[in-house]
Amino acid sequence: MPALPTLAVVGATGAVGTVLCQLLSARRNVWGEIKLFASARSDGRQVRCRGEELTVQTLTPEAFDGVDVAMFDVPDEVAAHWAPIAVTRGAVVVDNSGAFRMERDVPLVVPEINPGQTRHRPRGIIANGNCTTLAMIVAVAPLHREYGLRELVLASYQAASGAGQAGVDALHTQLGKIAGDRTLGSRPGDVRQAVGDDLGPFPAPLALNVVPWAGLLADDGWSAEEMKVRNESRKILGLPDLKVSATCVRVPVVTGHSVAVHAVFAAEVDAESAREVLRNAPGVIMVDDPATGEFPMPIDAVGTDPSWVGRLRRALDDPRALDFFVTGDNLRKGAALNTAQIAELVAKELTGR
C-alpha cells in the first residue's frame, strides 16, 4: 500500500486557509506530512493543524519538493505564478483562485457533481469554483439531472467575508459607528455621513444597506462576479449554452452567501418531487417550512458544510420552472471544503485508499 501523500497548504494564514487547517483537523485523515506556506510576513508563524503546531514557511520552488498535492488559496496573480512551479516539482495543484477556472485544459470540479473530472488534468491543476457558484450549484445539479436545466435567473446576497478579512473588518467598523443611533437610515445621506469614507473594499456603506455590486467591472455593465457565476455554472454542469442571468448583491452579513434561484427546465416540474430530489442530494439540506418560520438563512448555515435549500415552489406562470432559496458558508463549501474534497479525491487516486 502506498504511503500517505504529502500535502501543502499555500495561503495557510488567510481566511480560507485558516478554515482549511480546521477542516484538516476534523475530516478523515488521508494525509502524511502537511506543510504550510504563506507570504514572507507570516514566515515562522505557528498554526495548529491536525493536532500539531506547524511552522509556516515562505514559498520557494524547492519547498514543493516531495509534495504530492498542493491546495492554493492565494490571489489570482500569486496562483498564476506559483501553481505551475508546484506542478513542475511534482505536485497536483487544487487552486481556489480564479486564475485557471475557465481554462479549457483545467477541470472545474465540484465533487458532488463531476468528481471524475479530477483525473483529467493535463496541466496538473484542478480549479475550485467561485464561492457564490458553489453554494448554488450543489442544489441546481440534481434538479438538472432530473428535469433538464434550460435557464437560470439568479440574485445573490453575498456576505462581507466574500471580500476577505478586509470586508469583515469594514462591516464591523461601520456597525460600530452607527450603533445606538436609531434615527439612521431615515434621511438621505445620513448613513453615508455616519460611516464616513471608511468603505473598505465596497463601493458604498454596507451597514444598514445592500450594495447591488460585487467584483470588478466587466463588459456592458455586468460585474466580474456575475460573469463568474454564469461561466462557471455552464462549465461545471457541462452546459455551454445554458442561459444564465445573475445580479450579485453585497449584504451586511459576515459569513454566508445566499442565492435566490429561478430555474427553468425542459420538463414540467412538481414542487414535492423536487423536494424529494433535493432531500436525497449529497451536500444539500432541506430547510423548508414557512408555516413554522423555517427558512435557509446564513446565520444558521454558517460553520456548516451543506448548502441549505428552502422556499421551494413551482413558478406561478411556468409549469417548467422552480423558485427556491439557497444559502451556504462561503468560507467552507464555497471555498475551503470544496478544495479539501477535491484534494481528497486526488489522495484516493494516488493511494487507492
Side-chain angles (χ1 to χ4, degrees):
M1 186 75 70
L4 292 177
T6 296
L7 174 70
V9 180
V10 183
T13 57
V16 174
T18 300
V19 177
L20 272 171
C21 290
Q22 294 170 356
L23 289 172
L24 289 170
S25 301
R27 293 177 67 80
R28 185 174 72 89
N29 183 42
V30 299
W31 305 109
E33 182 182 4
I34 295 178
K35 298 182 178 182
L36 306 183
F37 300 108
S39 62
R41 65 178 177 271
S42 296
D43 188 42
R45 180 173 164 182
Q46 295 289 303
V47 172
R48 191 162 186 81
C49 181
R50 205 177 51 174
E52 308 171 71
E53 292 292 333
L54 301 181
T55 302
V56 177
Q57 306 173 50
T58 303
L59 276 179
T60 65
E62 296 75 22
F64 291 105
D65 290 347
V67 171
D68 298 295
V69 181
M71 300 193 298
F72 275 66
D73 183 67
V74 292
D76 291 7
E77 62 276 12
V78 179
H81 175 76
W82 282 102
I85 293 173
V87 172
T88 63
R89 294 283 174 163
V92 175
V93 169
V94 183
D95 180 42
N96 189 45
S97 83
F100 303 100
R101 287 175 188 153
M102 298 313 300
E103 297 291 330
R104 290 183 178 272
D105 50 1
V106 175
L108 180 60
V109 174
V110 182
E112 294 89 346
I113 300 171
N114 57 350
Q117 291 294 316
T118 58
R119 295 178 177 269
H120 306 291
R121 46 176 194 269
R123 292 171 61 179
I125 300 170
I126 303 167
N128 192 38
N130 173 270
C131 48
T132 311
T133 305
L134 288 171
M136 172 270 300
I137 206 73
V138 174
V140 167
L143 295 171
H144 164 56
R145 286 192 291 267
E146 186 73 17
Y147 302 115
L149 184 65
R150 292 293 180 267
E151 183 177 355
L152 288 172
V153 180
L154 312 167
S156 73
Y157 305 80
Q158 296 179 219
S161 58
Q165 188 59 45
V168 176
D169 291 343
L171 176 58
H172 280 300
T173 297
Q174 293 175 20
L175 291 172
K177 290 180 177 180
I178 65 172
D181 189 342
R182 298 192 177 190
T183 68
L184 288 175
S186 60
R187 300 183 306 279
D190 60 355
V191 173
R192 289 184 182 272
Q193 185 175 7
V195 168
D197 296 329
D198 188 10
L199 301 178
F202 310 119
L206 192 57
L208 296 183
N209 196 25
V210 296
V211 181
W213 188 262
L216 302 174
L217 179 63
D219 295 334
D220 298 323
W222 295 93
S223 77
E225 192 83 0
E226 291 158 351
M227 297 308 296
K228 287 177 186 177
V229 173
R230 177 179 187 262
N231 295 334
E232 292 174 24
S233 296
R234 289 175 159 191
K235 185 172 180 178
I236 293 166
L237 296 173
L239 297 172
D241 298 319
L242 179 67
K243 295 179 180 180
V244 183
S245 180
T247 300
C248 289
V249 181
R250 194 75 70 180
V251 296
V253 169
V254 174
T255 300
H257 286 356
S258 305
V259 185
V261 180
H262 177 80
V264 182
F265 300 94
E268 186 169 331
V269 295
D270 171 76
E272 190 49 47
S273 297
R275 286 189 188 93
E276 191 61 25
V277 168
L278 290 170
R279 288 190 191 103
N280 294 315
V284 172
I285 182 171
M286 287 294 295
V287 184
D288 194 11
D289 190 354
T292 60
E294 292 189 1
F295 316 108
M297 294 180 287
I299 58 168
D300 300 316
V302 64
T304 71
D305 291 342
S307 290
W308 295 42
V309 184
R311 293 298 325 281
L312 190 147
R313 63 265 190 219
R314 191 167 82 165
L316 293 174
D317 301 312
D318 188 345
R320 301 170 302 122
L322 290 171
D323 290 279
F324 55 94
F325 194 79
V326 186
T327 191
D329 188 319
N330 53 293
L331 299 181
R332 291 180 76 89
K333 184 56 182 177
L337 175 62
N338 204 69
T339 303
Q341 289 174 309
I342 296 170
E344 289 166 2
L345 290 174
V346 178
K348 183 176 181 180
E349 175 192 336
L350 295 176
T351 63
R353 302 185 189 186

